[in-house]
Each structure stands twice: as structure tokens, then as C-alpha cells.
Amino acid sequence: MFEKYRVKGNETLDDIAKKFHTNRSYIEDLNNLYFNESLREGMDIIVPKNKEKYFDTYTINSGDSLYAISKKYNINPELLAALNGLDMNDYIYPNQVILLPVANYSYYITKDGDTLDLVAQMFKKNKEAIIKENETIYLLPGQILVSERK
């Protein structure tokens, strides 16, 4: 889950990362930023939202693979890749930060043609519950939707 954030005067990536309980490299990766000078007042960037509720983070170590990480944390490898905008064969590198889904939540990544009724059926909940849990639903391909498991 992500949200838009407007950079304030004299803010650094480190300041913003601290505010959103993440690290600088994750903000850089989300926004394709690699130098502090590319950050300017009034600029809109993407930051994690409700990360502490729906996701944990994991910092890649040398020799890690998505498959090994998914096995270690008992996560479906395809879900792990999709949550992070990766394919299973994509290269991951040391110090890269990825999202790990937390227990007690189900995750769904929307596809073309999805409707709120179909998503609600998939989660076995009513539409109102799905809307309440996700705040903003666009139903565009690639949106991550979550639902608390009962």
C-alpha cells in the first residue's frame, strides 16, 4: 500500500524515510531517485502506507533469492515477487529492501477485468468490508488489495 507525499522545504530522503518507518534506499527505489539533489520542495513522491500493518520489510543479503526468502518466511514465491513488482527471475541485490506480507492477511493483486464483486467473492467477504480494509480501490491491473483473515 502506497500513498503520495509532497516534499517539504529542506527535507532529505533520510528525513522522509524516518517519517514513514522505512529506509532511504526503499524510497529511492520506489521513485527512481538516486541523488538527493533530485529531491525538491513541492515534488510528489510515493511512500509506503500502513506498512507496519500489512507488510514487514526484508533487506536482501548476498546469495538471497526470492525463492529462498519465500521458503524461509513461508510465503508464496509468486506473491512475494508480485508484491514487490518483480518477476521470479529478476535479479535482486544486497541491501535492496523488499516487502514481506504479514500473517493473518490475504493479498490479491488485481487483474484486467476485475470487479469489486469478484474481489469480494475471492476474499469471501462483502464489498463494504473490502472497501473499509483498502481505503482506495481503483481495480486497475497490479493494485494490491488486502483482507484480514478471520
Side-chain angles (χ1 to χ4, degrees), residues 8-145:
K8 295 173 180 49
N10 298 322
E11 261 186 325
T12 67
L13 286 173
D14 291 322
D15 296 332
I16 296 167
K18 185 175 180 181
K19 188 179 287 187
F20 289 93
H21 310 287
T22 188
N23 63 48
R24 175 194 179 112
S25 65
Y26 187 61
I27 301 274
E28 288 172 333
D29 288 345
L30 278 176
N31 293 279
N32 293 318
L33 297 172
Y34 296 100
F35 301 103
N36 232 4
E37 54 268 1
S38 58
L39 194 66
R40 62 191 179 287
E41 182 177 359
M43 179 180 187
D44 288 330
I45 61 171
I46 302 300
V47 294
K49 178 179 184 181
N50 294 328
K51 178 185 70 75
E52 65 280 353
K53 183 175 180 180
Y54 300 121
F55 302 102
D56 286 327
T57 57
Y58 177 81
T59 303
I60 303 295
N61 296 305
S62 182
D64 276 345
S65 69
L66 289 177
Y67 180 77
I69 295 165
S70 64
K71 186 175 178 182
K72 178 178 179 179
Y73 290 96
N74 195 28
I75 300 167
N76 177 305
E78 285 80 19
L79 173 63
L80 180 63
L83 287 176
N84 289 284
L86 301 169
D87 289 321
M88 284 302 296
N89 296 323
D90 282 351
Y91 176 76
I92 56 174
Y93 51 90
N95 298 318
Q96 179 181 1
V97 178
I98 61 171
L99 297 174
L100 297 177
V102 298
N104 300 321
Y105 284 91
S106 295
Y107 299 82
Y108 178 70
I109 299 173
T110 56
K111 298 178 188 72
D112 195 29
D114 277 341
T115 66
L116 194 51
D117 287 326
L118 290 171
V119 173
Q121 286 176 3
M122 197 269 311
F123 281 132
K124 297 182 175 125
K125 291 191 173 183
N126 62 43
K127 292 188 292 189
E128 292 75 21
I130 301 303
I131 292 168
K132 183 178 178 184
E133 289 180 308
N134 289 278
E135 294 179 32
T136 305
I137 299 176
Y138 298 107
L139 290 177
L140 296 172
Q143 182 181 11
I144 300 169
L145 298 177

